[in-house]
Amino acid sequence: MPNKEMLLIPGPTPVIDPIYKALAQETRSHTDPRFAELYTSAISKTKEMLQTDGETFVISGSGTLAMEMALVNTVAPGEKLLVISQGFFGDRFSKLGAAFGIEVETVQSEWGKQVSPAEVEKKLKKGGFKAVTITHADTSTGVKADLDSLIPVIKKYDALVILDGVCATAAMEENMGKAYGGNPAYKIDVVLTGSQKAIGVPPGIAVVAFNQTALAAREKLGKVPAYYCDIYNWLPVMHDPQKYFATPAINLVYAYELGMRLVLEEGLENRYERHEKFGRAVRAALKAYGMTPLAEEKVAAPTLSCILYPEGVNDAAFRKQLAGKGLIVAGALAHLAGKAFRIGHMGNTTKEMLEKAVRFIGETLNEMGYSANVDGAIARFQEEFSKVPV
Ligand SMILES: *Cc1c(COP(=O)(O)O)cnc(C)c1O
C-alpha cells in the first residue's frame, strides 16, 4: 500500500506499493547469485542514469555518508577544498572537510539566493584548490545550483567538481557524460546521492559515482583516512557482488534496484519535466495564498520549496493542523525556523497529491483565521502545471 500520509517533506519522500513489496522479499545471503545479479543490475542502472564512464558505488548509508565518501577519496588532509554553499547542506561539506583536516574555503550565498560564478572565480584565482563542491538543490533553501555557469569556471582552474545530488538525482539533469561549455574536459567528476529523496526509495542507500578523472585523483592519494568509505575496499564488490567487504542492506538493494528500473522506465527527460512542473505549480498556488517562496522562481529547485508564511502564522500550529489532515510538511532550518516551512514535490509524488496538498494548506489557513481562496489557488496550480517547461 502506498503511504497513507502524504509525506511531502524534502526526504524521505512517498514510497509506492511495488517498492514496499520489493523490500518485503525474502532476505537472502549477500553471496547468493540471485542477489548478486540484482545488485549488479542496481549498480549498472545507476551508471546508466548518471551516464558515467567511471565507477559507481551503491552501499548502505545515508546521503551524508555519500558526501564523506566523495570527499575522502578525492581530497587529502591539508589540501584545499572550495565549498559553494547555498544553505545548510552546502555548509555540511565545510564541516566534513574540517573533520578530515582539509583546508576549506566557502563561497556562501544569502539564503534564498544563488552563488554567482564570479564569486567562485574570485576564490579559485587564489589557486591550489583540489576540488569544489556544489549542492545541486539545497534542501534548506530550495535553491538550485546553475551547473552550466559554475562548471566551466571551476574547470578553468582544473579543480574536481563534486556534485551533491541528494534531493536532485533522478529529478534534475546530472549527466556525467555532458561536456559543459562544449569542452569535453569540463565534466562533473563525482556525483553523490541518497535513495530517499527524488529517487523515491526508503532511506539507507548511499550512492557515489566517480569518473576517470576522480578515480585518477583517488589513485594519486594512496592511503585515505577512511575504511568503510575507502572506495578501494568496495571496488571488488561493485565488480562482483558475490565478493564480501561489508554486508549490503539486502532488502534495501531490492527496493533500490526497482526504484532505478522505475526511474529509467519513466525516462530521465520526462522526470525532469515532471519535476519542473511540480515546482512551478506548487509555488504559484501557494503564492495565491499570500505565501512567499524563499527562492525566486528562476533559481528555485524543482524538487522542493521553502515557503515563507504570511505575517503571524504559527509554524507549529500550522504544521500540526496539516498533519491532522494527513499532510506532513517540514519546518525550516536555522534562522528561518518558525518563519517558513518546506514542502517536497519529488520522487513518487503525484500531481493529484500536490493538488490535495494545496487544498489542505488553504483549508488550514482558513481554519486559522486567514482568508485563503482555495479554488483560486487550485486554478493557479492547474494553469502552471499545464504550461510546457521551456
Ligand atoms: C538530505 C540531504 C543530505 C543529507 O542526506 P542524509 O541522507 O540525511 O544523510 C545532503 N545533501 C542534501 C542536498 C540533502 O538534501
Side-chain angles (χ1 to χ4, degrees):
M1 184 133 43
N3 282 30
K4 291 191 192 77
E5 290 180 333
M6 290 199 288
L7 187 61
L8 301 189
I9 61 173
T13 58
V15 175
I16 53 172
D17 206 18
I19 290 179
Y20 280 128
K21 278 201 185 125
L23 263 177
Q25 291 175 92
E26 184 157 312
T27 302
R28 294 199 163 118
S29 161
H30 53 287
T31 60
D32 186 309
R34 291 166 296 182
F35 172 71
E37 193 183 322
L38 212 85
Y39 203 172
T40 299
S41 159
I43 297 160
S44 72
K45 287 188 171 64
T46 308
K47 278 189 174 166
E48 189 181 335
M49 173 178 67
L50 298 171
Q51 292 169 57
T52 172
D53 63 351
E55 297 286 352
T56 300
F57 302 86
V58 175
I59 65 170
S60 311
S62 82
T64 306
L65 184 97
M67 292 170 80
E68 187 160 324
M69 194 170 193
L71 210 55
V72 293
N73 288 283
T74 50
V75 187
E79 289 186 321
K80 280 172 75 178
L81 172 74
L82 182 62
V83 171
I84 298 176
S85 178
Q86 298 175 151
F88 181 87
F89 285 103
D91 293 344
R92 176 161 287 192
F93 268 123
S94 307
K95 292 185 176 147
L96 254 169
F100 287 98
I102 292 166
E103 273 191 52
V104 182
E105 289 201 36
T106 308
V107 205
Q108 181 104 42
S109 67
E110 189 190 321
W111 276 34
K113 303 261 191 304
Q114 273 181 341
V115 167
S116 77
E119 292 169 278
V120 173
E121 179 148 28
K122 212 169 119 192
K123 284 274 188 190
L124 287 171
K125 265 193 182 142
K126 297 203 278 183
F129 288 96
K130 179 78 173 290
V132 179
T133 64
I134 307 175
T135 309
H136 203 173
D138 203 297
T139 318
S140 59
T141 56
V143 172
K144 68 179 174 188
D146 179 6
L147 302 185
D148 289 319
S149 67
L150 290 173
I151 291 173
V153 169
I154 298 166
K155 282 297 171 190
K156 195 172 135 190
Y157 294 89
D158 219 22
L160 293 166
V161 173
I162 299 175
L163 183 65
D164 177 352
V166 191
C167 238
T169 309
M172 296 167 74
E173 186 186 61
E174 292 180 344
N175 177 355
M176 296 178 80
K178 179 171 169 177
Y180 284 83
N183 187 328
Y186 288 8
K187 289 184 177 162
I188 304 167
D189 299 298
V190 180
V191 171
L192 65 102
T193 196
S195 51
Q196 80 275 26
K197 299 196 182 178
I199 293 172
V201 168
I205 295 285
V207 173
V208 192
F210 288 70
N211 72 2
Q212 295 300 338
T213 312
L215 290 169
R218 168 65 190 86
E219 197 176 347
K220 257 186 151 170
L221 291 181
K223 273 194 183 146
V224 298
Y227 181 66
Y228 188 81
C229 271
D230 183 350
I231 58 169
Y232 281 177
N233 283 330
W234 285 105
L235 210 47
V237 184
M238 296 300 113
H239 290 169
D240 173 9
Q242 280 184 289
K243 294 208 167 110
Y244 170 75
F245 168 58
T247 310
I250 307 286
N251 294 58
L252 274 172
V253 173
Y254 298 154
Y256 177 80
E257 195 271 341
L258 176 58
M260 277 300 106
R261 256 191 283 155
L262 295 174
V263 163
L264 296 175
E265 263 170 39
E266 183 179 354
L268 292 171
E269 292 300 328
N270 293 336
R271 285 181 75 92
Y272 303 155
E273 181 174 318
R274 173 164 69 84
H275 285 88
E276 277 296 327
K277 288 178 160 194
F278 278 179
R280 220 179 37 205
V282 165
R283 288 184 294 267
L286 298 183
K287 271 192 207 167
Y289 289 147
M291 293 176 152
T292 314
L294 177 69
E296 273 180 42
E297 198 53 33
K298 63 178 192 303
V299 303
T303 47
L304 85 140
S305 303
C306 181
I307 307 287
L308 297 158
Y309 289 115
E311 201 55 41
V313 174
N314 180 300
D315 170 51
F318 173 82
R319 287 190 289 121
K320 194 173 167 205
Q321 190 96 344
L322 276 183
K325 297 177 191 290
L327 170 59
I328 316 297
V329 297
L333 302 175
H335 65 281
L336 291 176
K339 299 194 181 97
F341 69 98
R342 295 175 302 145
I343 180 165
H345 28 78
M346 63 183 130
N348 302 309
T349 302
T350 61
K351 180 183 178 230
E352 291 66 36
M353 248 186 241
L354 293 174
E355 257 180 49
K356 215 167 167 185
V358 167
R359 185 169 295 283
F360 286 171
I361 289 171
E363 286 171 5
T364 298
L365 286 172
N366 286 333
E367 285 154 15
M368 292 176 76
Y370 290 80
S371 107
N373 176 352
V374 176
D375 291 338
I378 296 286
R380 281 296 292 128
F381 181 94
Q382 302 278 10
E383 193 183 340
E384 283 300 321
F385 192 85
S386 60
K387 281 188 194 162
V388 179
V390 282

